[in-house]
Amino acid sequence: MAGEGDIFSGMLSGGAGGTSAMPGWGTAVGAGLGLVGGVFSYLGKQSQVAAMRAQAEEELRRRKMQDAQVLGQATAAGAASGVDFESTSLQSYLGSMQAEMKRHQEWQRKSAATNAGNMSTASTVGLFTDMGGTLSSFAKANNYWRTG
């Protein structure tokens, strides 16, 4: 029930007649909500990136612990085998094993950093795309593109 003092009565009656007491009010609110939605989407994706990085760090920490355990077992097995522990073949085997483990760890670190970086970049591009689309829609709705 819109009374005379009701601020929405003029908007509602004007909107029904094709004119509005506050032109662009609805599109401004829509644009604002669109921008807020884009920012919250960006922040959510950045939170996902942080979680991905934390997970990758934990997986790498576990990989290093597992590799150290395997290398320790191989060293112990080599020492207990009766082969001269200082022999070139045993040391070469253990060195190759350790080098391969380090290469795998480095690959895992770089891969995780690349994935997180790509997701972060995509969320930033998405934010600007959302903002641009919202502002473009607002401008079109308010006839800012008219010529003459």
Side-chain angles (χ1 to χ4, degrees):
M1 295 225 251
E4 275 193 36
D6 188 355
I7 61 170
F8 296 108
S9 64
M11 287 174 41
L12 294 174
S13 64
T19 61
S20 176
M22 300 174 96
W25 178 257
T27 56
V29 170
L33 291 175
L35 292 174
V36 168
V39 168
F40 278 120
S41 175
Y42 169 78
L43 293 174
K45 289 176 183 173
Q46 289 300 312
S47 179
Q48 278 184 305
V49 169
M52 283 176 60
R53 286 188 170 128
Q55 180 181 355
E57 286 177 20
E58 178 59 18
E59 287 174 357
L60 184 58
R61 184 192 70 79
R62 289 179 183 200
R63 165 64 67 181
K64 287 179 178 180
M65 294 296 292
Q66 182 182 19
D67 288 350
Q69 183 179 19
V70 168
L71 186 62
Q73 289 172 343
T75 302
S81 70
V83 175
D84 180 20
F85 189 73
E86 298 299 321
S87 71
T88 306
S89 62
L90 180 60
Q91 291 305 313
S92 176
Y93 170 74
L94 293 174
S96 295
M97 179 187 282
Q98 188 172 27
E100 184 59 33
M101 289 174 172
K102 286 184 188 249
R103 273 193 295 274
H104 184 79
Q105 292 167 8
E106 183 60 19
W107 174 85
Q108 188 175 359
R109 187 194 64 75
K110 283 182 181 179
S111 176
T114 299
N115 290 340
N118 289 344
M119 188 168 177
S120 181
T121 300
S123 71
T124 302
V125 169
L127 172 65
F128 288 113
T129 301
D130 289 347
M131 289 175 58
T134 299
L135 294 175
S136 175
S137 296
F138 177 75
K140 286 178 186 176
N142 288 293
N143 214 11
Y144 288 130
W145 305 120
R146 68 175 175 245
T147 57

